[in-house]
Amino acid sequence: MRAPHVFIETFGCQMNEYDTELVRSILKDKGYRFTDLADMADIVLLNTCAIRENAHNKVYGHLGALKPLKEDKGLVIGVLGCMAQNLKKDLMESESLIDVLAGPDSYRSLPELLEKAVAGRKGMAVDLSEYETYADITPDRVEGVTAWIAVMRGCDNFCTFCVVPYTRGRERSRDFDGVLREAEALAASGCRQVTLLGQNVNSYRDGVRDFADLLLAVADIQGIERVRFTSPHPKDFPDKLLEAVATHPRICKHIHLPLQAGNDRILRLMDRTYTRAEYRALVARIRTRCPEIVLTTDIIAGFCSETDAEFAETEDLVRQVEYHSAYIFKYSERKNTIAARKYADDVPDAVKAARVTRLVELQRAISLKKNREMIGKTVAVLVEGEGKRSPDQWMGRTDGNLVTVFPKGGSAPVKPGSLASVRVTDASATTLYGQLA
Ligand code: 5AD
Ligand code: SF4
């Protein structure tokens, strides 16, 4: 009999991309094959995200598009990830297209669930675990220059807007040596950059060692050129971690430091546990210790009861900090969160949208200015592959994570994985352009 073919599509964050690699590994082990074409598949899995409503809507759109395939040839459809966890029984109603639901801690049950589903029985596994880290599973990665390693899973912060503590459960860390062995294997397979992932990486603990210890140990592995991490929480950014970033040549000088809001009342309502002044002091401490640092952030506009004046304080902080780039989101009420239970989602949608537009425009101008300051400098670019626009160009990133594009050619041999020395000649708000130096 032909082995069942699986098509898997991933929505959302890097953690979900990583989980898809885990799922591929679990299923390949049981004899499943993978295809890049939904039309060729016997099973379609959607690895979903629940962080904002538009992520949700996208998944519903994709499910609708799969209906004809399901009706024609009995396609098995599985929903994985955060949406599966959050919606549970809603998705299992009788007319539902979905056969299998598996939350982020239940991927080990997938082979069994899929086997049953192929035989016509729907099933779900959505319980959260205090222990599951998939530490013994080697993700099935596309071999390349960069890779992710999830070092901790879940989040205990319960920011009031955020669904992650409900969909991904309690914080738990992977064992220290397991992470090192995975990074060593990656280096041996030709990977040059590792990004350590966690919803809240500076909560990493193995009982004795903390996140800075782990970061330093990974950065010391032979063959790894660069180590990145995402995301830390601004409430605790220890000096030890800052020292590691500032001093280790292979730890990238980039910190993603989610701000969320620049007004103290809103920060309190969000339960972020820092004030505007504390956040600014942290930025100052980081910049004093490591002046070349690239800072990026996440911001939510239009959180419950946010006034124009309070939003203006966020804009003001963005102007003062001058992030290199920022992800800016409209507040989107999520079921089960503390904000959904305690506060009214009362900022009109048009006001939220206008605030997002203002911030995006402000940030774009800052990004352009900061990128243009790079013109004339020579930067080390880790080449990831060909440029999107032209096969005659290489694309890579600087240590600070700035996307850089430059023409192929020149005397030095360059290939994916090379660290190329590039002189920046031009810049847009999102990209540096240059020539091999
Ligand atoms: N609405 C809008 N944005 C959100 N984020 C998390 N939850 C919500 C929500 N309910 C944003 C935060 C977080 C990023 C990953 O997503 O800015 O840092
Ligand atoms: Fe969500 Fe806050 Fe945890 Fe980040 S730190 S995953 S925003 S609850």
Side-chain angles (χ1 to χ4, degrees), residues 70-271:
K70 174 138 192 113
E71 283 165 358
D72 283 1
K73 58 170 206 177
L75 184 74
V76 167
I77 299 178
V79 172
L80 318 181
C82 289
M83 220 172 129
Q85 192 65 46
N86 205 28
L87 294 188
K88 298 191 182 163
K89 293 194 184 79
D90 302 9
L91 285 177
M92 295 299 282
E93 285 161 3
S94 54
E95 74 276 25
S96 162
L97 292 170
I98 298 160
D99 303 294
V100 166
L101 273 182
D105 287 343
S106 304
Y107 297 144
R108 289 181 203 268
S109 342
L110 256 184
E112 198 187 324
L113 286 168
L114 290 178
E115 211 173 292
K116 284 190 183 146
V118 169
R121 269 176 298 151
K122 295 189 179 219
M124 69 172 163
V126 291
D127 288 345
L128 291 171
S129 153
E130 282 174 46
Y131 310 104
E132 181 62 271
T133 60
Y134 301 106
D136 55 319
I137 295 173
T138 307
D140 179 57
R141 300 183 166 95
V142 179
E143 235 175 63
V145 175
T146 65
W148 296 298
I149 303 180
V151 301
M152 52 91 59
R153 297 175 72 89
C155 182
D156 287 351
N157 281 330
F158 290 92
C159 301
T160 59
F161 53 79
C162 186
V163 79
V164 166
Y166 308 91
T167 60
R168 289 191 166 271
R170 300 287 59 76
E171 272 174 18
R172 65 219 99 120
S173 297
R174 264 185 70 175
D175 69 294
F176 197 93
D177 294 332
V179 173
L180 292 194
R181 279 196 301 275
E182 192 170 333
E184 281 161 3
L186 281 168
S189 76
C191 169
R192 291 288 158 262
Q193 173 184 292
V194 168
T195 304
L196 305 184
L197 292 180
Q199 254 77 36
N200 193 7
V201 283
N202 35 9
S203 299
Y204 178 90
R205 295 282 174 284
D206 84 334
V208 193
R209 291 161 292 191
D210 61 14
F211 183 65
D213 296 324
L214 183 68
L215 190 63
L216 285 165
V218 172
D220 278 338
I221 291 171
Q222 192 76 31
I224 298 283
E225 293 284 356
R226 287 181 174 174
V227 187
R228 302 186 183 281
F229 61 97
T230 197
S231 295
H233 192 298
K235 74 172 179 195
D236 58 335
F237 201 101
D239 273 334
K240 185 172 160 192
L241 181 57
L242 179 52
E243 229 19 66
V245 174
T247 54
H248 199 297
R250 290 193 293 281
I251 299 177
C252 290
K253 312 285 173 266
H254 168 214
I255 300 175
H256 185 71
L257 202 61
L259 167 67
Q260 312 301 5
N263 165 268
D264 282 341
R265 190 184 71 90
I266 297 297
L267 285 170
R268 233 180 3 257
L269 289 186
M270 290 176 164
D271 204 10

